[in-house]
Amino acid sequence: MLRWIYRFLNSSIGRKALMASTGLLLIGFLIAHLAGNLSLYKGEGVFDEYAHFLGGLEILPLAEFLLALLFVAHITMAILTTLENRGARPVKYAVAASHGKKTVSSTTMFISGLVVLIFLGKHLWDFRLHKEAFEKAPAEVVQTALSNPLTAMVYILGAIALGFHLFHAFASAFQTLGVNHPKYTPALTWLGRVLAVILALGFASFPLIFWLSQGGAH
Amino acid sequence: MSAEKTMKLNLKIWRQKNADSNGSIEDFQLDGVSTDMSFLEMLDVLNEQLISAGREPIAFDHDCREGVCGCCGAVVNGQVHGPDEETTLCQLHMRRFHDGDTIQIEPWRSRAFPVIKDLIVDRTAFERIQQAGGFVSVSTGSAPDANTISIPTRDAEKAFDFAECIGCGGCVAACPNGAAMLFTAAKVAQLVTLPQGKLERSSRVLTMVERMDAEGFGDCTNHYECSAACPKGVPIEAIAVMNREYLRATFLSPEGA
Amino acid sequence: MSSNSPILDPKCPGGDIETRWDRHRFAMKQVNPANKRKFHIIVVGTGLAGGSAAASLAELGYRVTSLCIQDSPRRAHSIAAQGGINAAKNYPNDGDSVFRLFYDTIKGGDYRARESNVYRLAQVSNNIIDQATAQGVPFAREYGGHLANRSFGGAQVSRTFYARGATGQQLLLGAYAAMNRQIQAGRIDMRCRREMLELVVVDGVARGVIVRNLITGAYERYAGDAVLLCTGGYGNAFYLSTNAKNSNVTASWRAYKRGAFFANPCYTQIHPTCIPVSGDHQSKLTLMSESLRNDGRVWVPKAAEDKRPASQIPEEDRDYYLERRYPAFGNLVPRDVASRAAKERCDAGFGVGSSSMAVYLDFADAIDRDGEDAVRAKYGNLFHMYQKITDENPYESPMRIFPAVHYTMGGLWVDYNLESTIPGLFVLGEANFSDHGANRLGASALMQGLSDGYFVIPYTVCGHLAGRHLQPVTTQHEAFAEAESEARSQTEKLLAVGGSRSVDSFHRELGLTLWDDCGMARSEKGLKHAIGKIAELRAAFWNDVRVLGEEKDLNQSLEKAGRVADFLEFAEVLVKDALNRTESCGGHFRLESQTEEGEAKRDDENFSYAAAWEYQGTGQDAVLHKEPLAFEYVQLAQRSYK
Ligand SMILES: Cc1cc2nc3c(=O)[nH]c(=O)nc-3n(C[C@H](O)[C@H](O)[C@H](O)COP(=O)(O)OP(=O)(O)OC[C@H]3O[C@@H](n4cnc5c(N)ncnc54)[C@H](O)[C@@H]3O)c2cc1C
Ligand code: FES
């Protein structure tokens, strides 16, 4: 009965479909996350309210669990695919060139993903696992964390890596899920690139601003 | 037409005695190469020179020399089938190069395509993929009159774009991941675009992909190098069609169970 | 020495031509379905003929072993066919019929083909289109969704089906897919990178082959109940031809040496529209499909030695010589006529291009009339190919073209069952001699190869399998050992010469000799010269050829050497056949036999026969056998396309 699931997850296309669909869902999460974070710019009170609202949701644990599942699935598929691909060309070419289609973004997906993952670890520690995170007001936590130049650096790098990752990922996910049409594909490609830049700038703006305003003040 | 000129080249060519031995790059000097020669004719001239020097000529696959049999192929200065778009190695001409150029020539590199000798690789993995389902099950004699199946020109043309694949293996060689998606997809997409191929669409895509995976090719991550290097310009859309077909077969068809 | 041979029984049924094939099939012994799997058939070659035969026979239940030189059956030379395939569907409603296709083919072949065979070919032509369409071959379509047709030379109806400029590729991929289905089902044992070097004959019946494994160099034996040679044409005897580089005469030649007769070897087709030779390095020639003559107009300057570029030669200074000489067919005269006309103009000093050995094929009118896009849609891949090779843009300036060796109508002699003079040895496709007489019409080779493989051999092989009480034979039989040692000793001999010249250098020289003396025009003097030259070359080859590398290894020089050695023997029979045929017919133009206007003059009284040559041993002259050709349905007439 479950043979088909096994077959699907063992196939190159199945794995990538899973990677693509989880990726798209994660992009959805990122958009919502950024939208929420932007409330910081409306004032600390608004942000705190938003955070408390989220914290009070009953389904939060479930949502977090599902989100974690998305990450785990996405990352597992990425690792499997990368390992497979490493082995697929045991002897490398002496001269590396191309016909010009691959991009920095497409060739560094694993690395950019890894950087995002490292950032994620730090991010969770700062805001979710760290003891202080539960004691202070959310906006204050952010302020404390991001006024540390090192942390701010990591956050900015994380945002840049995310941008690189998404630059390729968005349109690529559609191709992997079988959506390719002369009418829509060029639009999706551009939409993906614009989205990548917006998300990267959006997330990078927080550490930048905190760092500049705090760091500049001292 | 540019006037014919001759030039001198430095060639760096992969040489390997057989599948079991290790190969290496060897250097050759070649003088008097005409700009009107094809790339393979340039190799012919080199081989004549090697023979008169008592050295074994360089082995390379070739047959039609007009870009349709899919025998020929090598990576030239890091580019599959050389620098030109929609061109097989046999169609590449020496006017594309300059006097004094160094040209690096390597065989396709893929786990699924072991080198047999020099520039010749074993592409039988492709055969097994086609055997796994690249056909319409119609036995000789059982076909209805051809015009009972009418097909919009658009679909016939689309199917042709996919059907043009010559099976050279350049897509695998060009793919940073060594994937064989474009090759496999070209057949899947051709047949599903035509009404004749629709009947077996689900079983076909499932078995062909399973075989493709088992042959040790890499996985597609959408670099699109395959289609850019493809001498027939098989569109990348083929891969999307195959992905879609695979998902459809898995989730919506009885064959997917 | 020659005779009207009783050995050459074509086994054609008599009576009403329309029912001959039906009656013949009915009269033939059958193999019952359960018994089919007891028979093992060896198919050498995987082009249209071999591919379609292997698939169809396996579908019927026979066990099939299939062999080819390339690393995949899909790469057989058929893949390169461009323009199209004929059938008498009459979809355009322009008056086509089975009889008209039959008539055009007999006439196009200059009345040198067998009526029964050609009629059958026309009859099954329609089934081929149906079969290929069902397999998913993407033929060109009209906007309404129905199949489209174009015109080819030698016909006044549009009956050519096509898939852009890659019809052969698409048809072959169809047959290849059918084979794949049978390989998967375990009914075809496919062996690639194998070259057949010997036929094995046991008690007078073909029972197997010896092949060399081209990767390991090992000799392999295959035994079976019938052997099908589908190994293509021998155009590469001329070195430069439009054939793929691996095309050869070896399989046919070795079968000839074991007793199969070789028919009409001098009938070679010189195709009028090929890209001209550009220099000494030239390794092969590229065809520009005949379909281009649907829209292209052939011309040369009116004044000899006019060296102005084409664009600067005004309309009134151009000579559209085909339209001038042959108003009824214009640019669409058959190939032999078009080729000779081009040669005539060039020899008279009107040729264009740096070598003056070319004529123009001009699309300006078509582009003006239909637009560049329409022309691109029809011929895009050919124009692309042309531009790649010549670095000239045919949308802007006319193509330069010249005739080149393209196809061979001659081949092993076969009867109506496609069986050679060795029982159990069947010959299909370009390798046989059967259906095109002295000149093949465009788009008819694909038709014939597929007809042989899909629709003729599946029936006719039964007659042999069911009718002759075959004893089981294994590869342990001494005939296999003998044939293998023959193959081995030839290879060893080649490696042992240790001379100074490369194989290619001999091949080029042979090609030049054949082209000069036995090409588009032939004379007694030239042919005799060629015979002497070929003997000299053969002696020089065996004295001075240098084949490096090892026997037990992938060795491309060795492969080539074996093929060239056979070409050097075969060429002599080719030229002798040409010498014997003192008439002009089709692709064979004897200078001594022409009308006052310089058109070919046939001699029906003395040459209305197929010439089949029988091997007599090394150094002996082959013996000529004649199969008389009777024409009951088509009246013999001097061909006219005016
Ligand atoms: C450029 C070009 C364009 C053409 N265009 C057209 C066209 O538009 N329409 C048309 O009707 N015809 C066309 N023709 C002619 C037509 O393509 C051929 O006549 C036809 O395809 C021959 O098919 P075949 O199956 O007999 O042999 P081939 O396709 O030549 O196949 C020969 C097979 O035999 C194998 N083989 C040969 N020798 C050996 C050996 N010793 N041992 C083992 N295997 C061997 C080869 O590997 C190959 O598989 C064209 C020909 C050329 C050259
Ligand atoms: S030799 Fe046939 S494609 Fe290059």
PDB file of all heavy atoms in Angstrom, chain C residues 213-228:
ATOM      1  N   ASN C 213      33.583  -8.168 -31.932  1.00  0.00           N
ATOM      2  CA  ASN C 213      33.143  -7.252 -30.889  1.00  0.00           C
ATOM      3  C   ASN C 213      34.073  -6.039 -30.957  1.00  0.00           C
ATOM      4  O   ASN C 213      35.273  -6.157 -30.728  1.00  0.00           O
ATOM      5  CB  ASN C 213      33.249  -7.952 -29.535  1.00  0.00           C
ATOM      6  CG  ASN C 213      32.833  -7.054 -28.393  1.00  0.00           C
ATOM      7  OD1 ASN C 213      33.110  -5.862 -28.392  1.00  0.00           O
ATOM      8  ND2 ASN C 213      32.174  -7.648 -27.408  1.00  0.00           N
ATOM      9  N   LEU C 214      33.522  -4.889 -31.294  1.00  0.00           N
ATOM     10  CA  LEU C 214      34.383  -3.749 -31.592  1.00  0.00           C
ATOM     11  C   LEU C 214      34.998  -3.112 -30.353  1.00  0.00           C
ATOM     12  O   LEU C 214      35.891  -2.282 -30.462  1.00  0.00           O
ATOM     13  CB  LEU C 214      33.606  -2.698 -32.399  1.00  0.00           C
ATOM     14  CG  LEU C 214      33.089  -3.207 -33.762  1.00  0.00           C
ATOM     15  CD1 LEU C 214      32.349  -2.101 -34.503  1.00  0.00           C
ATOM     16  CD2 LEU C 214      34.217  -3.753 -34.631  1.00  0.00           C
ATOM     17  N   ILE C 215      34.553  -3.519 -29.181  1.00  0.00           N
ATOM     18  CA  ILE C 215      35.191  -2.997 -27.967  1.00  0.00           C
ATOM     19  C   ILE C 215      36.338  -3.891 -27.524  1.00  0.00           C
ATOM     20  O   ILE C 215      37.432  -3.429 -27.253  1.00  0.00           O
ATOM     21  CB  ILE C 215      34.171  -2.852 -26.821  1.00  0.00           C
ATOM     22  CG1 ILE C 215      33.104  -1.827 -27.224  1.00  0.00           C
ATOM     23  CG2 ILE C 215      34.870  -2.406 -25.534  1.00  0.00           C
ATOM     24  CD1 ILE C 215      32.041  -1.606 -26.183  1.00  0.00           C
ATOM     25  N   THR C 216      36.070  -5.202 -27.509  1.00  0.00           N
ATOM     26  CA  THR C 216      37.103  -6.101 -26.989  1.00  0.00           C
ATOM     27  C   THR C 216      37.947  -6.724 -28.096  1.00  0.00           C
ATOM     28  O   THR C 216      39.000  -7.286 -27.848  1.00  0.00           O
ATOM     29  CB  THR C 216      36.456  -7.271 -26.220  1.00  0.00           C
ATOM     30  OG1 THR C 216      35.657  -8.011 -27.158  1.00  0.00           O
ATOM     31  CG2 THR C 216      35.574  -6.774 -25.096  1.00  0.00           C
ATOM     32  N   GLY C 217      37.456  -6.653 -29.324  1.00  0.00           N
ATOM     33  CA  GLY C 217      38.176  -7.283 -30.422  1.00  0.00           C
ATOM     34  C   GLY C 217      37.943  -8.786 -30.506  1.00  0.00           C
ATOM     35  O   GLY C 217      38.503  -9.451 -31.373  1.00  0.00           O
ATOM     36  N   ALA C 218      37.103  -9.314 -29.617  1.00  0.00           N
ATOM     37  CA  ALA C 218      36.867 -10.765 -29.625  1.00  0.00           C
ATOM     38  C   ALA C 218      35.954 -11.158 -30.785  1.00  0.00           C
ATOM     39  O   ALA C 218      35.108 -10.381 -31.207  1.00  0.00           O
ATOM     40  CB  ALA C 218      36.222 -11.184 -28.311  1.00  0.00           C
ATOM     41  N   TYR C 219      36.144 -12.380 -31.287  1.00  0.00           N
ATOM     42  CA  TYR C 219      35.237 -12.886 -32.318  1.00  0.00           C
ATOM     43  C   TYR C 219      34.087 -13.597 -31.639  1.00  0.00           C
ATOM     44  O   TYR C 219      34.293 -14.334 -30.680  1.00  0.00           O
ATOM     45  CB  TYR C 219      35.969 -13.838 -33.261  1.00  0.00           C
ATOM     46  CG  TYR C 219      37.064 -13.117 -34.003  1.00  0.00           C
ATOM     47  CD1 TYR C 219      38.360 -13.070 -33.488  1.00  0.00           C
ATOM     48  CD2 TYR C 219      36.776 -12.428 -35.171  1.00  0.00           C
ATOM     49  CE1 TYR C 219      39.354 -12.350 -34.138  1.00  0.00           C
ATOM     50  CE2 TYR C 219      37.766 -11.704 -35.822  1.00  0.00           C
ATOM     51  CZ  TYR C 219      39.057 -11.667 -35.300  1.00  0.00           C
ATOM     52  OH  TYR C 219      40.008 -10.945 -35.934  1.00  0.00           O
ATOM     53  N   GLU C 220      32.893 -13.375 -32.138  1.00  0.00           N
ATOM     54  CA  GLU C 220      31.717 -14.005 -31.540  1.00  0.00           C
ATOM     55  C   GLU C 220      30.949 -14.745 -32.625  1.00  0.00           C
ATOM     56  O   GLU C 220      30.933 -14.329 -33.773  1.00  0.00           O
ATOM     57  CB  GLU C 220      30.808 -12.941 -30.904  1.00  0.00           C
ATOM     58  CG  GLU C 220      31.478 -12.178 -29.763  1.00  0.00           C
ATOM     59  CD  GLU C 220      30.664 -10.989 -29.272  1.00  0.00           C
ATOM     60  OE1 GLU C 220      29.652 -10.634 -29.898  1.00  0.00           O
ATOM     61  OE2 GLU C 220      31.069 -10.392 -28.255  1.00  0.00           O
ATOM     62  N   ARG C 221      30.323 -15.839 -32.228  1.00  0.00           N
ATOM     63  CA  ARG C 221      29.554 -16.637 -33.175  1.00  0.00           C
ATOM     64  C   ARG C 221      28.075 -16.570 -32.817  1.00  0.00           C
ATOM     65  O   ARG C 221      27.714 -16.688 -31.653  1.00  0.00           O
ATOM     66  CB  ARG C 221      29.990 -18.111 -33.103  1.00  0.00           C
ATOM     67  CG  ARG C 221      31.461 -18.331 -33.337  1.00  0.00           C
ATOM     68  CD  ARG C 221      31.821 -19.781 -33.025  1.00  0.00           C
ATOM     69  NE  ARG C 221      33.242 -20.029 -33.283  1.00  0.00           N
ATOM     70  CZ  ARG C 221      33.803 -21.233 -33.263  1.00  0.00           C
ATOM     71  NH1 ARG C 221      33.052 -22.307 -32.984  1.00  0.00           N
ATOM     72  NH2 ARG C 221      35.084 -21.379 -33.503  1.00  0.00           N
ATOM     73  N   TYR C 222      27.255 -16.398 -33.820  1.00  0.00           N
ATOM     74  CA  TYR C 222      25.812 -16.430 -33.612  1.00  0.00           C
ATOM     75  C   TYR C 222      25.198 -17.422 -34.586  1.00  0.00           C
ATOM     76  O   TYR C 222      25.445 -17.335 -35.785  1.00  0.00           O
ATOM     77  CB  TYR C 222      25.194 -15.050 -33.821  1.00  0.00           C
ATOM     78  CG  TYR C 222      25.682 -14.031 -32.809  1.00  0.00           C
ATOM     79  CD1 TYR C 222      26.814 -13.249 -33.062  1.00  0.00           C
ATOM     80  CD2 TYR C 222      25.024 -13.876 -31.591  1.00  0.00           C
ATOM     81  CE1 TYR C 222      27.272 -12.336 -32.128  1.00  0.00           C
ATOM     82  CE2 TYR C 222      25.479 -12.958 -30.637  1.00  0.00           C
ATOM     83  CZ  TYR C 222      26.607 -12.198 -30.919  1.00  0.00           C
ATOM     84  OH  TYR C 222      27.057 -11.304 -29.992  1.00  0.00           O
ATOM     85  N   ALA C 223      24.419 -18.355 -34.054  1.00  0.00           N
ATOM     86  CA  ALA C 223      23.770 -19.332 -34.921  1.00  0.00           C
ATOM     87  C   ALA C 223      22.274 -19.078 -34.942  1.00  0.00           C
ATOM     88  O   ALA C 223      21.702 -18.617 -33.954  1.00  0.00           O
ATOM     89  CB  ALA C 223      24.042 -20.740 -34.402  1.00  0.00           C
ATOM     90  N   GLY C 224      21.641 -19.351 -36.070  1.00  0.00           N
ATOM     91  CA  GLY C 224      20.203 -19.141 -36.161  1.00  0.00           C
ATOM     92  C   GLY C 224      19.616 -19.918 -37.313  1.00  0.00           C
ATOM     93  O   GLY C 224      20.306 -20.686 -37.991  1.00  0.00           O
ATOM     94  N   ASP C 225      18.325 -19.697 -37.536  1.00  0.00           N
ATOM     95  CA  ASP C 225      17.636 -20.423 -38.598  1.00  0.00           C
ATOM     96  C   ASP C 225      17.510 -19.608 -39.877  1.00  0.00           C
ATOM     97  O   ASP C 225      17.180 -20.141 -40.926  1.00  0.00           O
ATOM     98  CB  ASP C 225      16.249 -20.841 -38.111  1.00  0.00           C
ATOM     99  CG  ASP C 225      16.364 -21.729 -36.887  1.00  0.00           C
ATOM    100  OD1 ASP C 225      16.909 -22.834 -37.028  1.00  0.00           O
ATOM    101  OD2 ASP C 225      15.966 -21.295 -35.785  1.00  0.00           O
ATOM    102  N   ALA C 226      17.721 -18.315 -39.750  1.00  0.00           N
ATOM    103  CA  ALA C 226      17.742 -17.458 -40.940  1.00  0.00           C
ATOM    104  C   ALA C 226      18.609 -16.258 -40.621  1.00  0.00           C
ATOM    105  O   ALA C 226      18.738 -15.868 -39.456  1.00  0.00           O
ATOM    106  CB  ALA C 226      16.338 -16.994 -41.298  1.00  0.00           C
ATOM    107  N   VAL C 227      19.234 -15.699 -41.661  1.00  0.00           N
ATOM    108  CA  VAL C 227      20.058 -14.500 -41.470  1.00  0.00           C
ATOM    109  C   VAL C 227      19.501 -13.413 -42.380  1.00  0.00           C
ATOM    110  O   VAL C 227      19.280 -13.638 -43.565  1.00  0.00           O
ATOM    111  CB  VAL C 227      21.532 -14.785 -41.828  1.00  0.00           C
ATOM    112  CG1 VAL C 227      22.362 -13.511 -41.706  1.00  0.00           C
ATOM    113  CG2 VAL C 227      22.103 -15.888 -40.942  1.00  0.00           C
ATOM    114  N   LEU C 228      19.261 -12.242 -41.787  1.00  0.00           N
ATOM    115  CA  LEU C 228      18.775 -11.104 -42.568  1.00  0.00           C
ATOM    116  C   LEU C 228      19.878 -10.056 -42.648  1.00  0.00           C
ATOM    117  O   LEU C 228      20.302  -9.526 -41.619  1.00  0.00           O
ATOM    118  CB  LEU C 228      17.562 -10.468 -41.865  1.00  0.00           C
ATOM    119  CG  LEU C 228      16.163 -11.041 -42.118  1.00  0.00           C
ATOM    120  CD1 LEU C 228      16.107 -12.542 -42.003  1.00  0.00           C
ATOM    121  CD2 LEU C 228      15.150 -10.390 -41.187  1.00  0.00           C
TER     122      LEU C 228
END
